[in-house]
């Protein structure tokens, strides 16, 4: 049964909520749950990035070698030179780091599994806390109802014994 978060008789607007709604709201709108889900998404991105380590790296460019000043020849003579060597075509290189291509995806998968486990544990903890808080709220509202009924019965009993005392059927001390 839905429970009012703040009773209307205390001057607040009664907002009723039931347990499924409380749990659904905690699951959909909780900041802690959202943070842990974002961590899982970041782990997914790192896994995708690590899988790309198996794609070869291609490097394209031109080279230039320049030397100005003294240089020693192989015969031992030191000469003053000014030379430029340029390659004006296109060079290309392809490379793959095998170790990174094998182990980085493995590490990223394990980190993703850990992030997913932490997210699930956090989500379950949040949902358990919400359910426990709801149960405490229902218990408190029930206790208030029991106390109100006991108060009403005590008032009825006091009125009844007072009536008996007035009519002479009961003792004034009972009233």
């Amino acid at each position: 049964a839905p429970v009012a978060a703040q009773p209307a008789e205390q001057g607040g607007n009664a907002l009723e909520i039931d347990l499924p709604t409380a749990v659904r709201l905690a699951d959909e709108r909780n900041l802690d749950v959202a943070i842990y889900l974002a961590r899982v998404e970041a782990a997914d991105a790192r896994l995708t990035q690590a899988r790309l380590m198996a794609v070869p790296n291609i490097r394209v460019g031109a080279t230039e070698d320049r030397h100005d000043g003294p240089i020693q020849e192989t015969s031992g003579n030191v000469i003053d030179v000014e030379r430029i060597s340029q390659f004006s075509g296109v060079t290309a290189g392809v490379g793959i780091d095998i170790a990174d291509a094998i182990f980085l995806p493995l590490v990223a998968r394990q980190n993703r599994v850990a992030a997913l486990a932490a997210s699930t544990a956090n989500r379950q903890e949040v949902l358990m806390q919400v359910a426990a808080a709801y149960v405490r709220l229902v218990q408190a509202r029930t206790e208030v109802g029991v106390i109100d009924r006991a108060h009403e019965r005590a008032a009825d009993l006091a009125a009844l014994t007072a009536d008996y005392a007035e009519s002479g059927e009961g003792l004034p001390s009972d009233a």
Side-chain angles (χ1 to χ4, degrees), residues 27 32-33 36-37 40 112-128:
D27 196 28
D32 284 342
V33 171
Y36 276 87
L37 289 176
V40 172
R112 184 191 180 281
V113 167
L116 190 57
S119 175
T120 301
N122 173 266
R123 179 175 174 258
Q124 297 301 325
E125 177 69 20
V126 166
L127 296 181
M128 192 239 358

Side-chain angles (χ1 to χ4, degrees), residues 123-140:
R123 179 175 174 258
Q124 297 301 325
E125 177 69 20
V126 166
L127 296 181
M128 192 239 358
Q129 288 174 354
V130 167
Y134 185 83
V135 168
R136 286 192 304 272
L137 176 64
V138 169
Q139 180 181 4

Side-chain angles (χ1 to χ4, degrees), residues 71-96:
I71 191 168
Q72 187 173 13
E73 294 180 324
T74 55
S75 62
N77 297 329
V78 175
I79 58 172
D80 194 29
V81 296
E82 184 178 315
R83 67 177 178 83
I84 298 174
S85 172
Q86 283 185 329
F87 177 75
S88 58
V90 176
T91 61
V94 177
I96 298 176

